[in-house]
Amino acid sequence: MFLTQFRLNTARMGTRRLMASPQSLHAAVMASFAEMPDHQGDGPRVLWRLDQRSRSEVLLYVVSPDRPDLTHLVEQAGWPTTGGWQTKPYGPFLARLAADDTWAFRLTANPVHSIRRHDAEPTKRTVHVTPRHQLDWLLKRQTDAGFEIVEKTERRPDGIPDAWHEVVVHNRSDLAFRKRNESDARAHKVTLTRVTYDGRLRVLDPHALRRTLTSGLGKAKAYGCGLMTLALAE
């Protein structure tokens, strides 16, 4: 496994086109591999995420089973003479994960659930729209994903304990674009919501967490969702 970081040049038209179209950016990421990655089941796959730290600083992160070549992205949306990308082997970091470790994390995800109004109606995938429900979506998946979000407890002036999870849900974006299938010349509309979670977690099951970090969490992985990254907790 490899972890890659690439900074996009926001002054370029190519960058603006890619940022406006998750389908185009997905295609550009997949074009980084000479052989199309063969994803099977819940095994390792290509994941990507955009982090916009400021108006002029946008970073693309890619986790992949094979080492990517982003030359075409440098030419289209980077700095062709001075820019580049950084790729590091991910395996040594994944191997060091241990139970009870605490890490800062970032995850961009598509928090959806399936609903139906009555038993005879087929289920419909619906997005969670409030930060409270978006957080609940993550909390319901954390144990199976191999971690728990750190809880903090303090006593209020009246002596009653007050507990909350150390996570912030922010940067919601509602996307709509046209997708054209290879087997169908017609394009259909795709809508999805992406939100970002920043917080601290504790490792429960290192094996399950490794699977989460390399196969993603939730839906819409082709469109920049599902990639969780870890950093040293302050």
Side-chain angles (χ1 to χ4, degrees), residues 60-180:
L60 170 67
Y61 289 94
V62 179
V63 165
S64 57
D66 302 313
R67 183 184 290 272
D69 182 341
L70 304 186
T71 302
H72 62 296
L73 274 174
V74 174
E75 295 171 347
Q76 180 182 0
W79 287 266
T81 59
T82 61
W85 66 91
Q86 298 81 43
T87 296
K88 296 181 179 180
Y90 206 19
F93 173 79
L94 296 173
R96 291 199 301 270
L97 295 175
D100 293 326
D101 283 352
T102 300
W103 295 92
F105 75 90
R106 171 168 287 182
L107 166 70
T108 294
N110 172 225
V112 296
H113 63 130
S114 296
I115 62 171
R116 59 184 176 185
R117 291 170 295 183
H118 51 79
D119 292 342
E121 184 180 60
T123 58
K124 179 181 179 181
R125 188 176 294 173
T126 304
V127 67
H128 289 297
V129 296
T130 67
R132 176 69 256 177
H133 288 114
Q134 291 163 354
L135 175 57
D136 287 343
W137 175 90
L138 182 57
L139 294 177
K140 290 177 181 177
R141 287 158 179 77
Q142 60 179 348
T143 302
D144 288 343
F147 65 90
E148 63 178 1
I149 297 176
V150 174
E151 271 194 280
K152 194 168 185 178
T153 302
E154 291 184 354
R155 288 195 174 275
R156 300 188 323 212
D158 57 10
I160 298 176
D162 192 8
W164 68 92
H165 291 93
E166 291 193 47
V167 60
V168 177
V169 185
H170 64 104
N171 199 29
R172 171 181 167 176
S173 58
D174 299 312
L175 307 175
F177 53 95
R178 308 295 294 183
K179 177 182 178 183
R180 191 180 302 278

Side-chain angles (χ1 to χ4, degrees), residues 193-204:
T193 295
R194 292 192 306 212
V195 298
T196 297
Y197 302 84
D198 281 310
R200 293 206 309 155
L201 62 78
R202 181 176 297 106
V203 181
L204 297 179

